[in-house]
Amino acid sequence: MIHFHNYLKQSKELVTKVNFEGIKCVHVVMGNESCDLDSTIAPLALACFYANDKYRCSDIKVIPVMNVAADDFPIKTESNYLLDKYKVDKSNLIFKDEINMTWLCQQERLKITLVDHHILSESDSHLKCCVTEIIDHRPLDKASEWDKNVRFILSQVGSCCTLIANEIFQIYNRCLCTVAQLLYETIVFDTIGFKPEAGKSKELDFTMAEQLEKLLKPTKTRLEIFDELWAAHNDVSALTTRQLLSKDLKQIGNVLIPGLPMLVQHFISRPDFEHAISSFFSDKNGEAIIIMGLETEDGITRDIAFYPVGNDVVKKLQQRILADELQLEEVANSLEQLNVYKQNNVLHSRKYLIPIIKDTIAEK
Ligand SMILES: [Mn+2]
């Protein structure tokens, strides 16, 4: 039996080997591109379980892969918080940009389990032939087509980690301690602490949480655990200006729409703001940036900013949005490249603006 922390260390060492020398086949377990909490924990837990179970005496090596570049992981604040809490050495995580799956696939030495999603991103679509298993909790996407040989588990429960716990408990009535902790807290987070009014939890979520509680005997209530993780999710104090621009980003074509957990008016006073936004704009190949600020301290306050001033796409979007019912009121700022507006009609969020932005771009 290999313990979780040692298992992660060994997996990381494996990836640093040139061409996976001496390894017949690599079995990757990978979450979705948001790399949210269950997409982080589910691959770690399932891969460690497989290493101890079906690949125990095998020349196939199973490794968990985080479906983001290493640089993008710090913005996943609740994932970082939970891993730190259980002393998981994050330098042993394997990120998308640290493994050449395309090469392994060409060598016919790759198997993939997808967890927390069941359609590969466009950039990974060439890896489809390597997928042998899918475990997901999202509603079925009709665009997905999988061969009969692919083991396909799709069940709409609150957290993908519920399905992973179920995989483990179907075979053993125990679970490695750290793995159990990580699965348990993730299930509690995804079900909003099992609050009935949140409507997220299904029967299997309850069953798995209860089974894990029997092992772990937690001293905190489910709601306390949820609150702790929710606070970590919202804690952006450790993030850089650039990371904040990426943390909650929506993109429509080349229009970048970062959402901020603070007002743009305050955000732009950071000394590195100008540098961060211009490098963000060029790295993401942007045509326009619309930053949406939100503060919830004394009621809801919103503002919105356009970058870079004078660019045709920006002008068009700005005109269209100014003409809408958001009641925008210009706020003076010292940056030449940025127009900032207070949003007096605070009822509308980014969800409201996205179709308008889509239409405006389509018109050009
Ligand atoms: Mn999920």
Side-chain angles (χ1 to χ4, degrees):
M1 172 80 87
I2 177 163
H3 284 277
F4 183 63
H5 299 280
N6 294 334
Y7 164 70
L8 293 186
K9 190 160 178 273
Q10 285 185 11
S11 311
K12 185 71 179 207
E13 282 164 6
L14 204 82
V15 178
T16 54
K17 275 191 185 173
V18 179
N19 294 343
F20 293 91
E21 203 59 60
I23 293 150
K24 188 177 152 221
C25 177
V26 179
H27 184 157
V28 163
V29 182
M30 183 168 79
N32 71 46
E33 284 182 299
S34 77
C35 203
D36 61 358
L37 195 57
D38 62 340
S39 263
T40 300
I41 302 304
L44 296 174
L46 188 66
C48 182
F49 170 62
Y50 282 171
N52 276 311
D53 182 54
K54 66 173 172 183
Y55 294 139
R56 200 172 181 159
C57 307
S58 165
D59 43 11
I60 297 176
K61 295 289 177 195
V62 56
I63 58 171
V65 172
M66 304 290 108
N67 200 347
V68 283
D71 282 351
D72 290 330
F73 195 65
I75 63 182
K76 315 296 172 186
T77 48
E78 70 275 20
S79 297
N80 280 274
Y81 175 83
L82 189 60
L83 294 173
D84 289 342
K85 182 173 171 185
Y86 292 105
K87 310 229 166 6
V88 177
D89 184 348
K90 290 181 288 188
S91 69
N92 288 331
L93 297 178
I94 301 159
F95 295 97
K96 191 68 181 297
D97 53 341
E98 295 172 336
I99 172 170
N100 190 343
M101 289 198 275
T102 303
W103 181 82
L104 277 168
C105 170
Q106 285 160 354
Q107 301 273 312
E108 297 181 7
R109 288 163 70 196
L110 181 65
K111 280 164 74 138
I112 302 175
T113 294
L114 299 180
V115 293
D116 206 22
H117 64 315
H118 60 276
I119 288 202
L120 282 162
S121 64
E122 215 167 289
S123 57
D124 283 340
S125 56
H126 61 289
L127 301 174
K128 192 171 177 185
C129 57
C130 298
V131 174
T132 56
E133 183 182 47
I134 293 168
I135 303 177
D136 190 15
H137 70 131
R138 301 176 172 204
L140 178 69
D141 187 326
K142 298 222 169 65
S144 74
E145 275 176 68
W146 294 100
D147 198 89
K148 277 194 213 87
N149 302 328
V150 176
R151 179 175 183 243
F152 194 80
I153 295 177
L154 199 69
S155 171
Q156 282 182 54
V157 292
S159 175
C160 192
C161 284
T162 293
L163 301 177
I164 304 301
N166 193 38
E167 288 292 304
I168 299 172
F169 285 133
Q170 275 174 16
I171 297 182
Y172 301 107
N173 58 2
R174 59 196 156 76
C175 179
L176 291 173
C177 182
T178 308
V179 173
Q181 297 279 13
L182 297 173
L183 288 172
Y184 175 64
E185 295 212 12
T186 305
I187 295 168
V188 170
F189 182 71
D190 282 343
T191 56
I192 325 290
F194 285 88
K195 278 185 207 169
E197 65 271 28
K200 296 262 188 185
S201 35
K202 299 282 161 28
E203 203 185 319
L204 191 63
D205 296 306
F206 279 102
T207 316
M208 289 303 118
E210 277 162 16
Q211 209 155 339
L212 288 162
E213 281 163 351
K214 263 186 224 153
L215 293 175
L216 298 167
K217 304 189 172 51
T219 51
K220 285 189 177 150
T221 65
R222 292 170 177 179
L223 278 180
E224 282 168 340
I225 291 169
F226 171 77
D227 286 344
E228 195 182 306
L229 287 165
W230 184 242
H233 171 81
N234 291 312
D235 180 9
V236 294
S237 57
L239 300 189
T240 64
T241 304
R242 171 65 192 258
Q243 286 167 343
L244 273 167
L245 287 168
S246 308
K247 182 163 179 18
D248 180 18
L249 176 66
K250 291 275 180 303
Q251 188 162 351
I252 299 166
N254 294 327
V255 179
L256 309 164
I257 315 155
L260 295 178
M262 63 183 76
L263 290 177
V264 185
Q265 294 171 62
H266 301 149
F267 184 62
I268 59 177
S269 64
R270 290 180 162 229
D272 60 341
F273 173 78
E274 270 187 283
H275 175 256
I277 195 151
S278 79
S279 67
F280 177 72
F281 186 70
S282 56
D283 292 351
K284 298 263 175 204
N285 216 350
E287 272 189 315
I289 303 179
I290 302 176
I291 315 174
M292 301 194 69
L294 169 69
E295 201 177 86
T296 50
E297 226 136 87
D298 305 300
I300 291 178
T301 321
R302 292 184 189 276
D303 64 1
I304 183 167
F306 298 86
Y307 176 95
V309 168
N311 148 322
D312 285 346
V313 183
V314 175
K315 263 194 218 155
K316 207 166 160 183
L317 286 163
Q318 200 164 339
Q319 272 168 9
R320 174 66 186 83
I321 293 169
L322 276 168
D324 201 79
E325 53 186 81
L326 300 178
Q327 299 168 22
L328 298 184
E329 183 186 328
E330 185 149 22
V331 184
N333 82 83
S334 59
L335 304 170
E336 242 172 61
Q337 288 298 314
L338 197 76
N339 285 147
V340 184
Y341 299 86
K342 181 167 191 268
Q343 183 182 323
N344 287 311
N345 175 356
V346 295
L347 293 174
H348 293 315
S349 65
R350 188 169 56 182
K351 271 201 183 69
Y352 169 85
L353 265 189
I354 280 179
I356 295 176
I357 296 170
K358 274 189 185 156
D359 286 352
T360 313
I361 313 174
E363 278 163 23
K364 72 170 176 185

